[in-house]
Amino acid sequence: MSLSGDPAVAGVLAAPRLWPARVTIDLDAIAHNVGVLREHVGGAALMAVVKADAYGHGLVPSARAALAGGACSLGVAQASEAVALRRAGVTDPVLTWLVAPGMDLAPLVEQDIEVAASTPWTLQALAEAARATGTVAVTQLKVDTGLGRNGASALPLPSRDQGTDWNDLVALAVRLSAEGVLRVKGIFSHFAYADAPGHPTVRAQQATFAEAVALAERAGLEPEVRHLSNSAATLTSPEATWDMVRPGLSVYGLSPVPDVGSAADFGLRPAMRVSADVAVVKRLPAGQGVSYGHTYAVDHESTFVDVPLGYADGVPRHASNAGPVQVAGARRRVSGRVCMDQFVVDVGDDPVVVGDEVVLFGSGEDSEPTAQEWADAAGTISYEIVTRFGPRVPRHYVGTLAGELA
Ligand SMILES: *Cc1c(COP(=O)(O)O)cnc(C)c1O
């Protein structure tokens, strides 16, 4: 067992007073963003995606904030995330979509967790769990309309031995529903190119989805919810909304399509702020390189500060000499390489002192950098920036909802 696997030890590892850095989450921003997203799709229902510890924002408080903001259900990838929500007392509908063969689905069925099915084995295992527990298993069928990832294939397969055909999955679901062990609550699919509005695959996938839904309904299924849209489609292709949208990133206030519009352009408020206290301040002579490999040096004397966050905490090493920060109010950059636990910033002649705050990113409202700027600096997407911040950094919840929910 890892050290952090022991709850008592984990508490100490993330103790705010022993750790001069923090991830601050504005729960009101999450609730606000859910409302904004629903407006984009004419008030349609919204499933808030809270996988990956709510994109690094903290699973349970974020889920509660999204529900308070008007989400009707929650979506997660792993079954363990769904169970964690139930254990925390969340009773709202929860869908998990990454179960794997060999997993015991009975505990999920017993806890009224909806399990997405892409394959016959999932439906068979759900039916078996329902028979064993004397309940009805609830599923949502996942159809591959062109992403080429999971989902039963609505497009012709070269061989039915390798992959599941949508017709076959629907036929099995109809049989198990008739037996009374299965309820097909929904049908859903996922876009390949939602972040490129107008891409021909967006329209093609919508058409394929419409056919797949029609086929299932002709076969006798009566899904309550049919949904396709992630954040990008919710914001840029509202015509793809069926009964519900399924956004993740935008719930946390980040734009999935930074080239089309910023978070502010869409009325979204970034919920995560990452900051640390300056641990060391030192004046270094001209020409002194800093951090491993001395990849940064200046030809004049300057003041350097050491920031106690590194790549083990989620600061991308790819942002060496590039990641933007705000130190005591001024914009600066990471100087030299990001190390495991710390990085250095050249602050010139600014009168920075130990304990001053360094903001890596936040909402941008106080001129601090945003997660999108870090993504640009590290050559990645904002999804990866926020999900990287791991459990070692204490989470701190703010906003009027924080007292009630966190
Ligand atoms: C992650 C995920 C989403 C949410 O995607 P965003 O781009 O973060 O909005 C929706 N549906 C599925 C199946 C996902 O895996």
Side-chain angles (χ1 to χ4, degrees), residues 132-399:
T133 56
T135 49
V136 179
V138 182
T139 190
Q140 299 207 28
L141 303 181
K142 177 90 188 276
V143 55
D144 182 1
T145 54
L147 174 59
R149 202 171 67 178
N150 69 354
S153 194
L155 301 166
L157 287 166
S159 156
R160 283 194 181 190
D161 299 336
Q162 301 230 299
T164 301
D165 180 86
W166 177 242
N167 283 283
D168 296 347
L169 191 72
V170 166
L172 178 59
V174 168
R175 273 208 309 285
L176 296 171
S177 302
E179 189 194 321
V181 288
L182 187 75
R183 179 163 74 89
V184 178
K185 178 176 168 180
I187 296 177
F188 72 112
S189 190
H190 200 41
F191 281 119
Y193 265 107
D195 55 349
H199 192 276
T201 60
V202 175
R203 218 170 331 113
Q205 283 195 256
Q206 276 173 248
T208 305
F209 187 66
E211 285 166 30
V213 167
L215 184 147
E217 290 177 345
R218 275 199 308 276
L221 298 179
E222 295 173 343
E224 278 167 47
V225 286
R226 301 157 299 180
H227 46 111
L228 255 174
S229 297
N230 57 3
S231 292
T234 301
L235 291 167
T236 64
S237 306
E239 75 284 357
T241 308
W242 283 63
D243 308 304
M244 188 170 87
V245 290
R246 209 175 58 240
L249 187 78
S250 54
V251 167
Y252 309 101
L254 298 172
S255 171
V257 285
D259 298 337
V260 179
S262 67
D265 292 338
F266 291 118
L268 300 169
R269 275 167 46 196
M272 182 185 285
R273 182 175 197 271
V274 177
S275 61
D277 304 331
V278 169
V280 173
V281 179
K282 64 173 64 159
R283 194 79 180 159
L284 290 174
Q288 169 68 58
V290 296
S291 193
Y292 295 126
H294 283 178
T295 61
Y296 183 90
V298 280
D299 60 4
H300 52 82
E301 194 182 296
S302 197
T303 300
F304 289 85
V305 301
D306 184 49
V307 182
L309 279 173
Y311 60 75
D313 302 302
V315 180
R317 189 170 177 276
H318 267 89
S320 295
N321 279 312
V325 292
Q326 189 184 44
V327 187
R331 276 293 190 110
R332 299 286 176 185
R333 290 199 171 279
V334 172
S335 307
R337 293 212 179 119
V338 172
C339 310
M340 186 182 290
D341 316 292
Q342 51 198 304
F343 64 84
V344 175
V345 178
D346 179 353
V347 296
D349 295 325
D350 283 2
V352 176
V353 296
V354 167
D356 276 354
E357 192 183 45
V358 178
V359 184
L360 281 74
F361 60 86
S363 69
E365 282 162 24
D366 296 318
S367 318
E368 74 274 40
T370 60
Q372 184 59 48
E373 288 179 67
W374 272 85
D376 295 340
T380 184
I381 52 179
S382 61
Y383 291 79
E384 195 179 355
I385 297 299
V386 289
T387 54
R388 273 166 176 265
F389 282 89
R392 189 166 79 158
V393 192
R395 296 297 188 273
H396 181 59
Y397 294 95
V398 297

